Amino acid sequence: MPTGLPLVLRRCHTCASQRFRANGKFRVNANHKLLDAWLLVLCTACGATAKLTVLERMNVRSVRPELLDRLHDNDPGLAAELLQDPVVQRRNRIALDWDNAWRLDTGGSDHLDREVIDVSVRFAARIPVRPMRLIAEGCGLSRAEVGRLIAEGSVVSAVRLNSKLSDDFTFTLKR
């Protein structure tokens, strides 16, 4: 589950840094019947502000009133939704860095002493994470040991466990 907003990977025009922090602030500009809206992000090195385009030259009547209210209220939930939106990412040529922006909730450690464990992983948000890392943290193993277990066939799943996933999956661990 997410613990905060991810960092935005984009080059800063002021200091050439590569990371921006979103604080959930929006800027909305109206020009007659047309609206522009941006998500403001701050450079982590120099503090310069950059704008990520959310709405561009949209007719006021075509924007849902709830969305407009959330933009005016600087809703952090809306900022999280928009950062994960592939259209916004593509339009602004950005990528997201999820390091230290999520945590693993295992629901307890009473399952670790069993011979066979069937695990279902549910994502609270579309956070791209390597399943090997989740298995290692959730089961108290090293990533090298998880890799060895996968090679032996002791960890079985219908998905590839060595590439990043952001969708729910299941796996079986045999000790």
Side-chain angles (χ1 to χ4, degrees), residues 123 129-135 150 155-171:
F123 286 87
V129 180
R130 293 191 187 279
M132 286 179 60
R133 181 175 178 188
L134 290 177
I135 295 168
I150 290 171
V155 176
V156 181
S157 179
V159 298
R160 291 186 58 199
L161 297 175
N162 57 0
S163 62
K164 289 189 176 183
L165 290 176
S166 57
D167 294 324
D168 299 343
F169 68 96
T170 59
F171 69 92

Side-chain angles (χ1 to χ4, degrees), residues 30-103:
N31 184 3
H32 299 287
K33 294 182 182 179
L34 301 177
L35 281 180
D36 293 311
W38 300 277
L39 173 62
L40 302 178
V41 292
L42 302 172
C43 177
T44 57
C46 69
T49 302
K51 299 186 290 187
L52 303 179
T53 302
V54 175
L55 300 174
E56 190 170 34
R57 305 316 241 168
M58 295 283 294
N59 191 309
V60 174
R61 292 182 185 262
S62 66
V63 178
R64 294 186 333 267
E66 305 85 38
L67 175 62
L68 199 53
D69 289 342
R70 290 177 77 187
L71 287 168
H72 285 297
D73 293 340
N74 292 320
D75 184 3
L78 178 62
E81 291 171 25
L82 291 172
L83 281 175
Q84 294 179 37
D85 185 0
V87 174
V88 173
Q89 290 180 13
R90 197 170 30 257
R91 176 187 295 156
N92 293 288
R93 296 184 188 100
I94 61 169
L96 300 179
D97 179 9
W98 282 98
D99 287 346
N100 302 319
W102 61 274
R103 71 179 172 85

Side-chain angles (χ1 to χ4, degrees), residues 1 7 15 27 33 58 61 78 116 120 122 129 142:
M1 59 184 17
L7 292 176
C15 71
R27 176 151 191 264
K33 294 182 182 179
M58 295 283 294
R61 292 182 185 262
L78 178 62
V116 177
S120 179
R122 305 272 179 248
V129 180
S142 69

Side-chain angles (χ1 to χ4, degrees), residues 103-114 117 119 137-140:
R103 71 179 172 85
L104 179 64
D105 184 14
T106 60
S109 61
D110 59 341
H111 61 282
L112 295 178
D113 57 348
R114 296 190 185 141
I117 305 170
V119 179
E137 287 186 25
C139 297

